[in-house]
Amino acid sequence: MGSVNTPVLSERLLAILDALPASVPKDVTSRFRQTVNSAANILDAPQYEHDGTAVDLACNASKTLFGDLVITPDSPSYKSAQQVNWSMACWLPARCIIKLQNTVEVALALGIINHFKCPFAVRSAGHQGNPGFGSIGKDGVLLDLGSMNSVNLSDDRRVASLEPGATWKKVYEVLENENLNVPGGRISEVGVGGLILGGMCTKYQGYICRRLTFVSQGACLTSQHTGAWFAITWRALRYSR
Amino acid sequence: MTCFNIHLGIVTRFDLITNEDPRLWYTIKTYSPTDLEAVMKAGVAVEQEMERDSRMGFFLICKPEILLACMLYMSQAPPPSAFGAFESIKPVAVAVPEHMGSQLEFAKGYTMESGVK
C-alpha cells in the first residue's frame, strides 16, 4: 500500500474511477474497478529502478488493465495501427498503442501515464503531418482515439456531440440525414479532434465548437463556451502539472 | 489539448451548435500566376468581407503553376458583395461551377480532386 503522498498505481486508478462524474455508466466503472482490484498485485509490483523503463512499465500496466486494446510491436496488428497516420513521417515506432474506447479508458490511461511519468501522444484520425504530433517514437505511448468516433444529436437537435475520432465525412453524413450541419473541415477524412483543437476555426467565420469535455489528470472537466478559450486553458492548468 | 507543448488534457467530446439548413453554395476557380497580385488583393478583400458576413467561407491555394480560389456560402447563394472582389479577374478555368450542394458533397469532392487521403 502506498503512502498518503505517493499512492500506488491501483490506488491512483481507483481514485480516478471514484472521481468520474455521475453521468459515466456504472457498468463501465464497475468493470474497471473489479479489474484493478483483482490485478492490484501486478499493477503495484513494478519498481521503476529495477523493472524497466517508464514506458515499459506504462505499457505493461496498460496491458494488464486494457488487454487486447494495447498493441505492441510484436502484435500482428501493430503495423496497421502504426500506419493510420496520413503522413509516412508519422509512422513512428511507439512502444505501445492503446486503442481507447471511451472517456473512462482515457482517464485510466492518463492515470497510468502520469504515474510512470512517461511521454505520450494522442491521435484522433491521424491527419497531422508533423512527426511527434499524433505519433511518438519508441520511448512513448500512443493513445489512439480512432474508436471514439460517435456523432450524436441532442433531443432538441440544437447541439451535435462529436467524439474526437470521428471524421468530418461521418459527421456530415449523420447530420445531413437529419437535414442539419455544423461548421467543419473541408477534407472528408480529417478527424474532428485535430481540426477543432488545431485552430478552432473553419472555412466559415468564427469558432466551431460550443463546449468541450476533456480529461486532465484523471479529472473529467467541461467548458461552456469556446469564447472562453483562455479560461479553458487556465482551468486545465489548475488541474495539471 | 496542449499549451506551449504541455499536455493539458485530452478532449473526449465536442459540442457544436447545429445549423438547420445544410445547404452549401460553392465554386472553385483557377487563376493564372501572372494575376497573383490581383488575386491576393481580392483575397484580402474577401477576408475583410468575411468579418461582416459570417456565412462566407474562402480559401486560396497558391502553386507555381496555378492559383485556386474556393468560395463557399452557407445555405443560400451569396450576395454580390461577398466575392465581388474577384469579378474583375478573368479565371483560367472554372474547376467547379457555382453550385448549391452540401458540405458532405463538397468535402468528398474536394478530397478526391485534391488527392488528399
Side-chain angles (χ1 to χ4, degrees), chain B residues 35-48:
Chain B
D35 290 325
L36 178 63
E37 187 175 344
V39 168
M40 293 299 285
K41 282 182 179 170
V44 168
V46 166
E47 291 277 342
Q48 288 170 337

Side-chain angles (χ1 to χ4, degrees), chain A residues 210-214 221-226 228 231-232 235:
Chain A
R210 177 177 188 242
R211 182 172 57 208
L212 307 176
T213 298
F214 62 99
L221 310 168
T222 62
S223 72
Q224 193 54 34
H225 195 283
T226 58
I232 300 168
R235 195 171 176 206

Side-chain angles (χ1 to χ4, degrees), chain A residues 157 161 181 204 211 213 215-216, chain B residues 8 10 12 15 18-19 24:
Chain A
R157 294 159 49 88
S161 295
N181 74 5
Y204 302 114
R211 182 172 57 208
T213 298
V215 177
S216 178
Chain B
L8 300 178
I10 296 179
T12 56
D15 287 348
T18 57
N19 175 24
L24 177 70

Side-chain angles (χ1 to χ4, degrees), chain A residues 60-121:
Chain A
N60 290 341
S62 299
K63 191 78 177 171
T64 301
L65 192 61
F66 300 121
D68 292 339
L69 296 181
V70 179
I71 302 171
T72 50
D74 56 348
S75 306
S77 57
Y78 181 82
K79 192 173 172 186
S80 60
Q82 180 192 41
Q83 296 181 8
V84 164
N85 298 72
W86 164 71
S87 168
M88 288 172 63
C90 297
W91 294 356
L92 301 181
R95 180 62 185 86
C96 63
I97 301 170
I98 309 176
K99 295 176 78 70
L100 301 168
Q101 312 285 305
N102 52 57
T103 301
V104 176
E105 292 180 4
V106 172
L108 292 172
L110 276 181
I112 291 172
I113 283 167
N114 280 329
H115 184 80
F116 292 112
K117 311 272 192 296
C118 79
F120 70 100

